[in-house]
Amino acid sequence: GEDVEQSLFLSVREGDSSVINCTYTDSSSTYLYWYKQEPGAGLQLLTYIFSNMDMKQDQRLTVLLNKKDKHLSLRIADTQTGDSAIYFCAESRGTALIFGKGTTLSVSS
Amino acid sequence: EAGVAQSPRYKIIEKRQSVAFWCNPISGHATLYWYQQILGQGPKLLIQFQNNGVVDDSQLPKDRFSAERLKGVDSTLKIQPAKLEDSAVYLCASSPGSGGYTFGSGTRLTVV
């Protein structure tokens, strides 16, 4: 199937905002997700957004959805060194999750 | 609530050997998924079960991979014979059917 696309790397300084972008493929996706994976660890669900929403905010996380362009973004405010990880965008296709290749976020102090 | 259990946690085998992974989903979750995550890539769906029936196995290399979910609960994923390129983390996930995905910690397979 077609791929979910993400930029591979993002480097920010502690305290700055991070924005991770994703382009998905299935216009009928009901939900879109962001997962976090730390080295050697499993997948942690960060947040998700229903397809009829444009924005969702959850503490330091803001998700923006542009359905017309099939574009999803995750903004992390006041980024901390503990936010360093790989972030995966995922779309629901049918009842399965299809993932992007992940964006490695590096936070320097 | 108990999470998705997977075993073993790690496995090292030689190429051409066989290996099996086990997954116990969250109680009551009808849908079970197996994903393969190769180092540096996102998880790739291998197979999806709804109860004990296969919904999607289009990405499963059926010449060497097989999976079953007897009685619609636990599942096993087998590779026979293994190749070097099968080295990956194998993730099991379950869901009640509409979202609510829960992932296990995965089995890290190294084929040497």
Side-chain angles (χ1 to χ4, degrees), chain A residues 67-83:
Chain A
K67 279 196 76 174
K68 175 177 171 291
D69 295 336
K70 296 182 193 169
H71 185 265
L72 183 73
S73 68
L74 173 70
R75 178 177 180 269
I76 306 173
D78 187 25
T79 312
Q80 303 297 307
T81 55
D83 295 324

Side-chain angles (χ1 to χ4, degrees), chain B residues 9 13 17 20 41 43 47 49-50 56 58 80 89 99 103-104:
Chain B
R9 189 81 172 91
I13 62 171
Q17 285 187 324
Q41 298 183 20
I47 189 167
F49 291 96
Q50 178 79 14
D56 181 1
S58 58
Q80 181 179 13
V89 175
F103 282 83

Side-chain angles (χ1 to χ4, degrees), chain A residues 33 37 88 95-97 99-100, chain B residues 33 35 37 42 48 97 99 101 103:
Chain A
Y33 300 80
Q37 189 175 43
F88 292 97
T95 53
L97 276 182
F99 289 85
Chain B
Y33 311 83
Y35 285 84
Q37 187 177 17
Q48 176 186 350
Y101 306 91
F103 282 83

Side-chain angles (χ1 to χ4, degrees), chain A residues 22-87:
Chain A
C22 168
T23 303
Y24 62 98
T25 61
D26 189 350
S27 58
S28 64
S29 291
T30 307
Y31 291 95
L32 295 135
Y33 300 80
W34 285 103
Y35 281 82
K36 177 182 179 183
Q37 189 175 43
E38 296 181 75
L43 288 166
Q44 174 195 352
L45 176 64
L46 275 183
T47 187
Y48 63 93
I49 187 167
F50 190 50
S51 59
N52 69 352
M53 299 171 65
D54 297 325
M55 185 183 83
K56 179 179 180 182
Q57 188 150 3
D58 183 359
Q59 299 182 348
R60 293 191 296 123
L61 305 178
T62 303
V63 179
L64 295 178
L65 175 60
N66 180 330
K67 279 196 76 174
K68 175 177 171 291
D69 295 336
K70 296 182 193 169
H71 185 265
L72 183 73
S73 68
L74 173 70
R75 178 177 180 269
I76 306 173
D78 187 25
T79 312
Q80 303 297 307
T81 55
D83 295 324
S84 293
I86 302 175
Y87 291 79

Side-chain angles (χ1 to χ4, degrees), chain B residues 43-83:
Chain B
K44 182 181 93 171
L45 178 68
L46 291 177
I47 189 167
Q48 176 186 350
F49 291 96
Q50 178 79 14
N51 296 309
N52 61 350
V54 175
V55 174
D56 181 1
D57 63 357
S58 58
Q59 299 293 305
L60 188 74
K62 299 180 189 62
D63 58 335
R64 297 183 301 105
F65 285 64
S66 64
E68 60 183 9
R69 190 183 184 197
L70 299 175
K71 300 180 182 178
V73 182
D74 293 3
S75 177
T76 55
L77 176 69
K78 296 179 182 177
I79 308 175
Q80 181 179 13
K83 293 185 175 181

